[in-house]
Amino acid sequence: MLRIALPNKGRLTEGARDLLGRAGLELDARGERALQASLGAEFRALFVNARDIPEFVADGAADIGITGRDLVVEAERDIDVLLDLEFGRCRLVVATREDSGVHALDEIPAAARVATVFPRTTRAFFAGRGHEVTIVPISGAVEIAPHLGVADVIVDLVATGSTLRTNGLVEVASILDSSAVLIARTASDGDGRQIPELVAALESVLRAQNKRYLMANVPRNALAEVKRVLPGISGPTIVDVLDGDLFVAAHAVVDARDVYRVISDLKALGAEGILVTKIERLMP
Ligand code: AMP
């Protein structure tokens, strides 16, 4: 039984549950406050704080985990990132007060006080630039620190930037891009099979989420152009239509962002009965 640590509340909880569900692993939690849940026959989910997950995985309390890349970097433990899960995207940035006159990293004075929930990452970032700053570690609501006179600068997570704007702060540098990741202890082998199987299942879901399956009846005599418009993974699948001398059915996987253009192009070639569906999993 592989133990997987999952965020018990907060921004990554829903995304983790949703992704696992789409990979065929439905959480069977009894009530909102459950500390554990079964996850198919082979996994046991442990619900803990996202920030603690790197420690739990590094210490062996869980075999694998889902948490933010930012938290993995901050933990500075021996952890392997097995897969980027493409949700929970945000950036760790350096920001200053709009009215501070400091609008670039190089303008931050030596010995500036930097408030953050990410003391290790922040220290490493400034030290790497030969910049001596004083770290003010705090545990939340970092954006108000400059207004309380606690710090001159903050290092905090942003997604849209609206919290910074609301608090009269401006971004002066980006330290790292984060998103949810699947992690394991470095050199952990699990039972040898379960971890690679889980990675493959999650990858198949991630691969499928930006793709659509498109089907259309296209004129037989336009097949050369159809192949150009609808390249698919290894060319479109062409199927005979019963009683259809003039038309054949063309099926192909297309990038979700290309669907609009492909439909217009197919229509221009005389296609009919166009159908677009989501794909649950894709294993090429
Ligand atoms: P939590 O504090 O439990 O809600 O989780 C915070 C984690 O969610 C962060 O460490 C990031 O990995 C992730 N996250 C994604 N988007 C954001 C955001 N806009 N602000 C803060 N954290 C975010």
Side-chain angles (χ1 to χ4, degrees):
M1 180 88 68
L2 208 68
R3 295 153 307 158
I4 175 165
L6 300 175
N8 58 352
K9 56 181 164 50
R11 295 179 194 257
L12 303 177
T13 304
E14 259 317 300
R17 176 186 286 256
D18 172 63
L19 180 63
L20 289 167
R22 285 188 286 140
L25 298 170
E26 290 291 345
L27 277 167
D28 177 23
R30 312 245 175 267
E32 285 292 297
R33 289 165 164 269
L35 300 177
Q36 298 198 6
S38 73
L39 194 61
E42 297 180 58
F43 299 94
R44 170 146 293 274
L46 313 173
F47 298 109
V48 287
N49 192 312
R51 193 164 268 272
D52 295 331
I53 290 177
E55 306 291 343
F56 283 132
V57 170
D59 290 342
D63 302 298
I64 50 176
I66 292 180
T67 190
R69 188 186 291 274
D70 52 330
L71 299 171
V72 176
V73 171
E74 178 66 15
E76 293 185 349
R77 299 292 305 262
D78 286 336
I79 289 169
D80 286 343
V81 170
L82 304 180
L83 196 59
D84 189 319
L85 303 176
E86 299 180 17
F87 66 90
R89 284 195 194 284
C90 55
R91 292 178 308 122
L92 187 65
V93 306
V94 183
T96 57
R97 273 173 71 149
E98 229 163 39
D99 57 8
S100 67
V102 175
H103 294 140
L105 209 48
D106 296 338
E107 294 166 15
I108 294 177
R113 290 162 307 158
V114 185
T116 185
V117 179
F118 294 86
R120 295 192 191 116
T121 312
T122 302
R123 188 171 290 116
F125 175 75
F126 282 102
R129 302 178 53 91
H131 207 135
E132 280 289 322
V133 295
T134 303
I135 309 289
V136 182
I138 53 179
S139 62
V142 180
E143 63 280 0
I144 58 171
H147 301 287
L148 300 177
V150 177
D152 317 302
V153 176
I154 66 163
V155 166
D156 201 10
L157 292 171
V158 301
T160 60
S162 68
T163 307
L164 288 188
R165 268 194 302 281
T166 311
N167 288 283
L169 301 165
V170 284
E171 177 180 332
V172 297
S174 190
I175 297 181
L176 67 86
D177 287 332
S178 185
S179 53
V181 288
L182 181 73
I183 56 170
R185 193 166 47 263
T186 299
S188 143
D189 49 3
D191 79 342
R193 189 179 56 84
Q194 281 175 310
I195 294 179
E197 278 178 4
L198 177 65
V199 170
L202 294 173
E203 271 176 336
S204 72
V205 172
L206 296 170
R207 210 178 281 124
Q209 69 190 6
N210 301 321
K211 302 281 187 189
R212 297 292 179 269
Y213 196 64
L214 190 145
M215 295 163 266
N217 289 341
V218 297
R220 204 181 275 279
N221 64 13
L223 274 180
E225 291 98 317
V226 167
K227 186 167 181 200
R228 192 177 41 73
V229 170
L230 208 58
I233 292 176
S234 48
T237 302
I238 303 299
V239 190
D240 271 331
V241 176
L242 210 60
D243 298 333
D245 282 343
L246 296 178
F247 283 85
V248 290
H251 295 193
V253 172
V254 294
D255 280 345
R257 59 171 189 271
D258 292 339
V259 164
Y260 184 84
R261 182 193 53 75
V262 169
I263 289 177
S264 314
D265 290 352
L266 286 175
K267 277 185 163 169
L269 293 173
E272 294 178 355
I274 300 173
L275 201 68
V276 181
T277 68
K278 287 192 172 174
I279 303 171
E280 286 188 10
R281 295 173 59 171
L282 184 63
M283 282 147 281

